Structures are given as structure tokens and as C-alpha cells.
Amino acid sequence: MHQSISLFSSCSSIFHIFLVLNFYIVVSVNGEIVNNQCKNLSSSDPQVNYDFCVSSLEANPLSETSDIFGLAEISMELCLNNATYIQTYIDSILKDGKAEPGARVCLGNCIEFYSMAFREVQKAMEAFSGKDYVTALVRLGGAIASADTCQDGFTDAGVDFGPLRKQYDDFFQLDAISLGIITNINGPLQ
Ligand SMILES: *[C@@H]1O[C@H](CO)[C@@H](O)[C@H](O)[C@H]1NC(C)=O
Ligand SMILES: *[C@@H]1O[C@H](CO)[C@@H](O)[C@H](O)[C@H]1NC(C)=O
């Protein structure tokens, strides 16, 4: 009786150790995809900041347990949400009435450019789910081109881009993260 109890307890502690080890292995391997991808992207692209990359992707708890394909989808969702957010943000600047007339025209155009960027990211996501990674990369490039066109409008009109600077930089980085992850899946475009 005594022996069987001690046998049971040593089995249970071995089982416990096994569970704990297993937990660590699963969690560290899973959590590492974000770190590994962000390290990879920030070392190959000076425009991707490691901390921004990790905190953006980890905002979605599914990133911890996803593979590289899931991570690509999560990052494109971030682009999509951010393009929507920026349109709302521009709208709020226009409504508060403080922008000078020249800036108002540019801002109004930028709502349209970010709505085009949104549609490009949507097309990228569709292409990605159809495993057409090349089209996904081209569409993500188109989204950045749209955001750039918004900025060019300010430059051409000689208007300070300041109010949209942070929004542009964040969107640019989110898009660059998607581009980088899908390039790691597909290989670089020829
Ligand atoms: C989009 O970017 C802004 C900063 O410009 C950030 O505050 C916001 O959390 C981002 N939204 C999403 C959905 O990633
Ligand atoms: C990033 O990952 C890709 C694909 O695995 C690899 O080809 C490339 O060398 C890596 N880049 C860096 C800077 O580690």
C-alpha cells in the first residue's frame, strides 16, 4: 500500500515535469515565430523596426500560435484595419476645421488614396488565400504606392505633411511587414 502510493506520487511528478516541459516547448516554439520573423525583417529592411513589428503582431493573440501563413494573414488584417483607421482619422481632422484650406484639399484626396490602399490590401488577402503570392506582393506594393500618392499631394502643394506623418509611417511599416513575411514564404519577386 505504502509502496503503491509512493509509486503513484513519483509517476505523477514525472508526469508533472513532462507537462511543464511540454508546455514550455510548445509556448516558446510558438511565441518565437513573431520574434524570428521580426528579427528577420528588421535586419533585412531598415524601414522595419523590430519593436514595432513585435508589438503590432502580438496585439493579435492568435499570432502566438500561428504559422507563417497565419502570421501573413494577421499582418494584412493590421494593414486593412489601419487603412480604415487612417480614413476615420483624416475625417476627424477635416471636421475639427483647424486645417488650412490647402491642407484640406490634400487631406480630402488622401481619404480616397487610403480607401484605394484598403482595396489593394483586400485584393492582396484574396490572392494570398488563393496561394497567388506574387499577386499578393504586387497588391501590397500598390497599397504603399497609394499611401505615397497621398504624401506626394502635400509635397506638390507645399503643405506640411506633419498631421499624417505618424499615420503614414505606421501604415508603411505594417505593409512592409506583410511584404516581408510573404516574401519569406514565396521568395523574392524576380
Ligand atoms: C494604426 O496606426 C495607429 C497609429 O497611426 C495606431 O495608433 C493604431 O493602433 C493602428 N491601428 C491598427 C488597427 O493597427
Ligand atoms: C530571412 O528569411 C529568409 C527566408 O527564410 C531568408 O532567405 C533570409 O536570408 C533571411 N534574412 C535574414 C536577414 O536573416
Side-chain angles (χ1 to χ4, degrees), residues 40 43-44 184:
N40 177 292
S43 57
S44 48
N184 284 344

Side-chain angles (χ1 to χ4, degrees), residues 20-124:
V20 168
L21 277 180
N22 203 32
F23 177 78
Y24 274 110
I25 290 165
V26 169
V27 166
S28 67
V29 165
N30 284 339
E32 255 158 33
I33 187 162
V34 171
N35 292 330
N36 287 342
Q37 283 299 307
C38 289
K39 258 182 220 150
N40 177 292
L41 303 183
S42 59
S43 57
S44 48
D45 181 350
Q47 281 165 314
V48 174
N49 174 276
Y50 174 79
D51 293 326
F52 178 93
C53 178
V54 170
S55 67
S56 303
L57 293 172
E58 281 185 348
N60 185 332
L62 293 176
S63 68
E64 298 269 311
T65 50
S66 72
D67 58 11
I68 192 168
F69 298 90
L71 205 59
E73 278 168 359
I74 288 171
S75 77
M76 286 187 283
E77 263 165 36
L78 291 171
C79 293
L80 211 54
N81 292 342
N82 220 263
T84 305
Y85 155 82
I86 293 173
Q87 292 174 70
T88 314
Y89 178 81
I90 296 173
D91 207 43
S92 73
I93 300 183
L94 286 172
K95 287 206 173 101
D96 81 13
K98 287 180 194 145
E100 50 157 314
R104 296 187 68 82
V105 175
C106 298
L107 288 165
N109 291 337
C110 285
I111 293 188
E112 190 47 44
F113 289 124
Y114 275 96
S115 135
M116 285 164 63
F118 178 92
R119 287 194 296 274
E120 290 287 330
V121 178
Q122 268 186 329
K123 294 254 163 60

